[in-house]
Amino acid sequence: MWDPLSVAAMRHILTQTGDYPVPDDFIERLASRFAVPHGVVFHFSGRQKTVGASSVLLTTQSAFRVRGDGSTLERIATDEGTLQVGFVLSNTARIGLAGGPGTLMRPGSVYAVTDWRAFDLECGESTRGLGIRLPAKRLHERGVRTRCDRFKLASQTTLGAPLRSFATAMVDPAWRPGPLSESIAERTLEDLVVGMFLETEGYAMDGEEFRSGLRGRALNLIGAKHRERGLNPEAVARGLGVSLRNLQRAFEEAGSTVVEEIGSQRAKTAALLLAAPGTRGLPIAEIAAMSGFRSSFALRAGFRSHFGMLPSEFRAAPVPLAV
């Protein structure tokens, strides 16, 4: 037998997950979808860390269930809101599309949902979970397709374990990053999520999605190789096995160019090097070489184009800009 979750308990959950304050009527509607075992005192604890547009949430809770209404099933595959990648760390959970049969999630299972309103969820007593939330649009840009029909991901992916370990370390209270560390952590988190999806069959864009997927694959290649001085649009096209014109068209549809993206990545890397304590004293020429720029002049021009200031001005700023 199940009892409705109290509004007070729902407010506690929202406070723990960083989603509070919200209107009281919203809390009441949300609580009406939750239920807990009869006679059991519900408990929930969570630790959350936000880095840029992404966040990590570690939770422990007693048994509960939540019912979805299926209202978002039609748009879930193209939703440009938030994608949540989750890990069941202990005990079990059962997840299924609203009204459908649930899939048992054992410890180590990985799932991905775009909107919980489209899903039913039931957790056992003292279930621990780890949730990673990222902008779905950013993942789409990098060639990742989100799906509602296959929310359970293959647990044998090589990047699943590193992603889980990295995300868990981020919510450790002892980790108190500065702006530079947060920027690096956000990029690493996104890279691991993208890599895990792309190595899981059925999540890479192809077919009629080729053009947008091509841009995503190009961004991945640029992210990995932009420090190489010889990287240019022609080299990116060769690396992807496509014509330069097809590559350029993929970027034009998104309102950018391959040259701009290479320059942006190099400027961001230069900013990280300029702000890092271990490299703050390096000459601009060395920063340029380590970032992929051909010269100090190219670094200054590219940096000014991206950040609106010279590297020396960035280095002298009391609080470095978000990269």
Side-chain angles (χ1 to χ4, degrees), residues 10-32:
M10 191 73 252
R11 184 177 287 109
H12 172 71
I13 292 175
L14 294 174
T15 302
Q16 291 281 301
T17 58
D19 295 326
Y20 191 77
V22 294
D24 288 342
D25 61 339
F26 173 82
I27 298 176
E28 293 174 2
R29 291 198 306 272
L30 193 58
S32 68

Side-chain angles (χ1 to χ4, degrees), residues 58-77:
L58 181 66
T59 65
T60 304
Q61 60 275 318
S62 55
F64 77 95
R65 71 182 184 188
V66 57
R67 297 306 187 205
D69 57 20
S71 62
T72 59
L73 285 177
E74 293 183 357
R75 65 182 179 85
I76 190 170

Side-chain angles (χ1 to χ4, degrees), residues 33 55 60 73 86 101 124 146 155 159 170 179 190 202 222 225 228 237 243 263 281 317:
R33 294 173 47 217
S55 65
T60 304
L73 285 177
T146 56
S155 58
L159 292 177
M170 288 177 62
E190 181 180 303
I222 292 169
K225 295 182 176 293
E228 299 177 8
S243 71

